[in-house]
Amino acid sequence: MKNLTAMEKKWVLYDVGNSAFVLLASTIIPIYYKNLASSAGISGADSTAYLSYATSLVTIIVAVLGPILGTLADTRGFKKPVFTFFLMMGVLGCAGLAVPKTWLAFLAVFVLAKVGLNASLIFYDAMLNDVTTDDRMDQVSAQGYAWGYIGSCIPFIFSLVFVLFSNSLGISMGLAMTLAFLINALWWLLVTIPLLRSYEQKYYVELSAHPVKDSFGRLAQVFGEIRGQKEIFYFLLAFFFYIDGVYTIIDMATSYGKDVGISDTNLLLALLLTQVIAFPCSVLFGHLSRKLTNVRLIEISILGYFAIVLFALQLDKTWEFWFLAVCVAVFQGGIQSLSRSYYSLIIPKDRSTEYFGFFDIFGKGAAFFGTLLMGISTQLFNTSRAGVAMLGVMFLLGFFLFRLAAKERTAYSKGKE
């Protein structure tokens, strides 16, 4: 982070903090949940489906709240308090996962924590315009994901020690999981404090006499503007389809791996490797953005994920899961960070949270569609592969729509000259 400004570093640290919970939610949490469900007599296919439905519920909640809160948060002085509220919801939810002893109660607390995480990211992403300049957005966004991947490994390794070696340490698995949840919650909070202390909202709309009422008016206005700006509208449609696969893979990889017979230890270690490899790959994408357009890099990433889905369909060996984890690591940070910075460049800066509310609808809406589709397909065909197969179609649709969005952006830029 040596080339980042002090404020950019503090912004990046929130990626380091929340990524600890993201990693936990994609590794240890699904395994622990599926073990709780299995002990209650729930089949593997059904427990995977229920986890998919819980993730979909999170998406619905955030998709409804996102644009409304986004329009309100763009008002002067509102962004930091609303961000802090959802940050604390996520942190307390993460710590609260130590309490439930049944699979259903555990899923309920998990939904609460995920809502806090995903809602906070709306405001965090919108802060990018406040902490850096247009020419540095690709690099700073990539650094956020990169350091998030490697930084999240620190609390995760401590968690793994407690979980994998609980017997050697003389502690119960319940206590080991409690320690894992508390460690990650504390990490998330502590590394976010520098951002909370220093962040200032540079772009905003002034406080009106009726901020809540006016926020709904601005919401309708933004929706109308997006429909009229093809370069934004087509990008959001493309983003919906291709990020669907990305988020579904992140949320369901561990559950899918467990269903096809990969051991818990191999699942955890392979996904830890994903975080380690994703760090240099995310930095690499940030540097490549100086030589190649972010349009070309996003296209490469989408096609890379399409190939990953094809490979996953025949996965049934441990080494194949490890290989898949490495492939995901190559593209995961790049496609997310470049999408975020690309969108930041094509929207109005003083209303960034409003627009990022819709960004979140299309992004998390895709996650809802993907996890719901995977859950239904898994139960209908009694195999997780059926849901994975649909993701390939989503990536192809996203690729062609993104090419259309890029053409519209080029035409719009030429029209302004």
Side-chain angles (χ1 to χ4, degrees):
M1 288 195 283
K2 63 180 181 179
N3 294 324
L4 301 181
T5 67
M7 195 62 236
E8 289 170 347
K9 290 178 182 178
K10 293 171 183 178
W11 181 84
V12 164
L13 279 175
Y14 187 67
D15 250 321
V16 175
N18 76 73
S19 292
F21 177 70
V22 172
L23 179 55
L24 199 70
S26 62
T27 53
I28 292 177
I29 286 177
I31 292 174
Y32 181 63
Y33 154 74
K34 287 182 76 70
N35 289 337
L36 285 177
S38 178
S39 65
I42 307 297
S43 70
D46 282 342
S47 63
T48 295
Y50 296 148
L51 180 60
S52 297
Y53 299 149
T55 304
S56 298
L57 177 60
V58 172
T59 301
I60 293 173
I61 295 171
V62 177
V64 171
L65 291 177
I68 299 171
L69 292 171
T71 55
L72 183 63
D74 269 332
T75 302
R76 185 175 187 175
F78 275 63
K79 191 178 291 185
K80 184 192 288 188
V82 181
F83 167 75
T84 304
F85 174 82
F86 285 106
L87 157 70
M88 293 309 301
M89 179 188 291
V91 169
L92 294 176
C94 178
L97 288 169
V99 177
K101 302 304 177 186
T102 63
W103 68 271
L104 186 57
F106 184 85
L107 272 187
V109 178
F110 178 66
V111 166
L112 177 69
K114 286 274 284 185
V115 167
L117 166 71
N118 291 337
S120 74
L121 291 177
I122 297 174
F123 309 105
Y124 171 66
D125 289 343
M127 289 177 183
L128 184 58
N129 278 314
D130 294 315
V131 302
T132 191
T133 56
D134 286 358
D135 61 317
R136 292 175 58 82
M137 279 190 183
D138 285 337
Q139 180 185 358
V140 175
S141 183
Q143 289 279 339
Y145 279 106
W147 286 101
Y149 290 132
I150 200 67
S152 64
C153 293
I154 297 173
F156 184 70
I157 289 172
F158 281 104
S159 301
L160 274 186
V161 170
F162 288 119
V163 172
L164 297 181
F165 302 103
S166 57
N167 290 333
S168 301
L169 295 172
I171 60 177
S172 67
M173 180 55 68
L175 178 57
M177 290 303 303
T178 296
L179 291 171
F181 294 138
L182 293 178
I183 287 171
N184 283 270
L186 187 61
W187 173 271
W188 186 357
L189 178 61
L190 290 178
V191 299
T192 308
I193 290 176
L195 177 64
L196 293 177
R197 294 180 62 182
S198 303
Y199 170 74
E200 293 182 3
Q201 187 174 351
K202 293 182 179 178
Y203 301 99
Y204 50 79
V205 295
E206 291 294 343
L207 179 65
S208 64
H210 307 284
V212 176
K213 178 182 177 181
D214 290 348
S215 70
F216 281 95
R218 294 205 307 274
L219 176 61
Q221 180 183 350
V222 171
F223 181 70
E225 290 174 358
I226 287 175
R227 289 184 61 187
Q229 298 179 74
K230 291 182 179 180
E231 71 277 14
I232 299 178
F233 183 65
Y234 286 140
F235 170 74
L236 288 175
L237 285 179
F239 185 67
F240 175 89
F241 285 109
Y242 73 72
I243 211 67
D244 168 41
V246 176
Y247 286 150
T248 303
I249 288 171
I250 291 173
D251 288 333
M252 305 305 298
T254 302
S255 187
Y256 177 67
K258 198 168 175 65
D259 286 347
V260 297
I262 311 301
S263 70
D264 291 355
T265 300
N266 275 295
L267 287 172
L268 294 172
L269 294 178
L271 291 170
L272 175 60
L273 177 65
T274 299
Q275 300 297 108
V276 174
I277 295 178
F279 170 69
C281 289
S282 295
V283 174
L284 175 62
F285 269 89
H287 287 302
L288 286 175
S289 66
R290 301 173 184 172
K291 299 179 180 179
L292 299 175
T293 65
N294 52 8
V295 170
R296 183 57 55 85
L297 291 172
I298 291 173
E299 289 176 344
I300 291 171
S301 298
I302 296 172
L303 293 177
Y305 263 104
F306 177 71
I308 287 169
V309 168
L310 294 181
F311 183 81
L313 287 173
Q314 57 79 53
L315 189 152
D316 61 1
K317 298 179 180 65
T318 299
W319 75 264
E320 291 176 335
F321 189 85
W322 281 82
F323 176 73
L324 195 67
V326 172
C327 293
V328 169
V330 172
F331 299 106
Q332 184 170 292
I335 198 169
Q336 291 178 286
S337 64
L338 290 170
S339 297
R340 178 169 62 188
S341 57
Y342 180 94
Y343 189 67
S344 293
L345 290 170
I346 62 176
I347 62 174
K349 287 183 171 53
D350 59 341
R351 298 158 64 204
S352 60
T353 317
E354 293 177 0
Y355 275 78
F356 265 103
F358 282 93
F359 183 78
D360 195 73
I361 279 187
F362 282 82
K364 297 302 188 296
F368 162 75
F369 186 75
T371 53
L372 182 63
L373 183 64
M374 186 167 184
I376 293 173
S377 300
T378 297
Q379 287 193 306
L380 283 177
F381 297 97
N382 201 34
T383 173
S384 304
R385 298 184 196 276
V388 172
M390 298 303 297
L391 300 182
V393 178
M394 306 297 280
F395 279 119
L396 287 180
L397 286 171
F399 178 79
F400 289 113
L401 282 168
F402 182 72
R403 288 179 65 89
L404 181 60
K407 289 180 180 178
E408 289 292 338
R409 183 186 178 192
T410 301
Y412 176 76
S413 298
K414 289 182 178 178
K416 292 177 64 178
E417 292 176 356

